[in-house]
Amino acid sequence: MYKRLLSAAILSLSALQASADDHNCGKVTIADMNWNSASLIANIDQFILEHGYGCDAELVPGDTMPTGTSMIEKGEPDIAPEFWSNSMREGLQRGIDEGRVRYAGSAFVEGGEEGFWIPRYMVEKHPELKTISGIKANADLFPHPEDASKSAFYGCPAGWNCQITSENQFEALDLADSGFEIVDPGSGAGLAGSIAKAYEREEAWFGYYWAPTAVLGKYDMVKVDFETGTDVQHYKDCITSNDCMNPKATMYPAADVDTVVTERFAARAPEALTYLKERGFTNDQMNGLLAWMEENQADGEYAMTNFLINHEDIWTKWVPSDVAEKVKDAL
């Protein structure tokens, strides 16, 4: 009888310990993606989870497709802070259906933003340029750098996904009929450089870009209204496809930029999960942070320290007051 009681007590204590462990944050791996906004968010999450929630948080290298695949198939890393979900929608849904991963919140609360843009100083001189009809009626304001008889539209670099969408939109808007020709910038740096060059000289510029980015944080650009509204289904079915035979113009819908976590992490760390649900940036906030990173040649860790010290008005809204005090003490 004594042995049976002792065994029962040991089993009971083990169950209690297991239950407690299930609700401890414990070791947490966070994907540090290879672009600035994702690296910044990963470093912020690591610091807050470690010092505010007692997690043993570790950054691991990541990129969209390999990280998503690893989370679904291997259950690691635990957190992908900035995941552009449209690029892997079917795989993520399979992981959700199988109880392996879940969406924890939005990295960018307004979603990623795409569009055709012009500098604000052009709109101030010519307000009609806010609309695509105004752009087409004033095509001569956008001289092509290599052919004076044409007007320039700066497209997405060759080989990028946005090359397909921007070229389909260019065709749907009949921009060639107004004298425009697509200029291939050659690279992301080339596209950013073309905006910087135009801004420094207050010259004309019209083309594709996206947010949040350092460029749109540094240079005041206006998104052109296509005067079409947004047809999300047509965008998904046709504008994003190489085989789109009859593209119709539509404003770009917001891109889902989520925080994805494994179900194992969600189950054992509910308080940390609540933080991730609350944590999110507006595009203006992230544009400004990315511009600061570029100007200061800051990596994700350095930018994280700057953010936590100088932007308490943002991050303290994501966490309870006692967690905020722990994070401040750690700083």
Side-chain angles (χ1 to χ4, degrees):
M1 175 66 74
Y2 173 77
K3 289 181 179 179
R4 286 199 297 270
L5 288 172
L6 182 60
S7 297
I10 291 171
L11 287 171
S12 183
L13 285 170
S14 298
L16 287 171
Q17 182 62 48
S19 177
D21 289 343
D22 284 345
H23 291 85
N24 286 338
C25 189
K27 183 176 177 60
V28 180
T29 49
I30 303 169
D32 186 1
M33 305 288 202
N34 57 358
W35 60 91
N36 278 350
S37 57
S39 184
L40 170 59
I41 299 174
N43 275 273
I44 291 169
D45 287 350
Q46 180 195 29
F47 197 91
I48 290 178
L49 290 176
E50 180 176 340
H51 297 287
Y53 292 90
C55 305
D56 178 13
E58 174 189 2
L59 296 181
V60 297
D63 203 350
T64 302
M65 295 300 287
T67 294
T69 301
S70 180
M71 292 178 76
I72 294 165
E73 296 181 356
K74 301 178 181 178
E76 56 186 26
D78 295 296
I79 304 170
E82 182 187 321
F83 203 100
W84 291 70
S85 303
N86 286 343
S87 63
M88 199 179 172
R89 182 68 67 189
E90 291 183 6
L92 287 174
Q93 189 58 52
R94 175 172 61 84
I96 291 169
D97 294 341
E98 295 175 357
R100 297 173 182 269
V101 297
R102 71 165 71 175
Y103 296 114
S106 297
F108 303 135
V109 295
E110 299 162 319
E113 185 176 14
E114 298 177 271
F116 292 179
W117 307 77
I118 61 170
R120 184 169 296 280
Y121 53 76
M122 293 195 71
V123 173
E124 290 173 351
K125 292 180 182 178
H126 306 279
E128 65 273 20
L129 296 179
K130 291 186 293 186
T131 65
I132 199 66
S133 57
I135 294 282
K136 292 161 72 173
N138 294 276
D140 59 321
L141 293 176
F142 303 91
H144 194 286
E146 298 174 358
D147 186 345
S149 68
K150 296 183 181 295
S151 300
F153 169 82
Y154 287 84
C156 185
W160 290 24
N161 287 342
C162 53
Q163 181 189 22
I164 297 170
T165 61
S166 61
E167 290 185 357
N168 280 333
Q169 296 276 38
F170 181 92
E171 179 183 345
L173 292 165
D174 298 319
L175 288 173
D177 293 346
S178 298
F180 283 97
E181 184 175 272
I182 297 175
V183 177
D184 182 356
S187 66
L191 184 58
S194 69
I195 295 176
K197 179 181 177 182
Y199 232 91
E200 288 164 3
R201 302 177 181 183
E202 286 208 7
E203 294 177 344
W205 192 92
F206 171 50
Y208 169 88
Y209 218 76
W210 71 98
T213 51
V215 167
L216 293 188
K218 188 174 183 179
Y219 303 109
D220 191 2
M221 304 288 284
V222 175
K223 185 162 68 172
V224 176
D225 186 352
F226 292 172
E227 303 169 288
T228 60
T230 305
D231 186 337
V232 176
Q233 198 59 49
H234 180 71
Y235 178 85
K236 291 180 178 179
D237 293 343
C238 193
I239 298 298
T240 60
S241 173
N242 260 325
D243 301 321
C244 184
M245 301 303 295
N246 185 29
K248 299 176 183 178
T250 170
M251 293 295 285
Y252 285 86
D256 294 332
V257 188
D258 301 298
T259 295
V260 178
V261 302
T262 62
E263 280 292 350
R264 287 190 305 188
F265 168 79
R268 75 170 186 268
E271 292 182 353
L273 181 67
T274 298
Y275 153 71
L276 294 173
K277 291 178 178 178
E278 295 295 325
R279 188 265 292 123
F281 297 86
T282 67
N283 287 338
D284 281 346
Q285 288 169 346
M286 184 54 72
N287 285 339
L289 293 170
L290 292 174
W292 184 92
M293 288 182 74
E294 185 173 284
E295 290 167 4
N296 291 275
Q297 297 184 334
D299 62 9
E301 183 178 10
Y302 185 36
M304 171 273 293
T305 305
N306 167 72
F307 171 75
L308 293 177
I309 291 174
N310 294 310
H311 296 280
E312 286 187 9
D313 59 314
I314 298 176
W315 68 263
T316 53
K317 295 176 182 177
W318 303 336
V319 298
S321 57
D322 62 321
V323 171
E325 290 305 315
K326 292 176 184 177
V327 173
K328 292 177 187 178
D329 289 343
L331 285 170

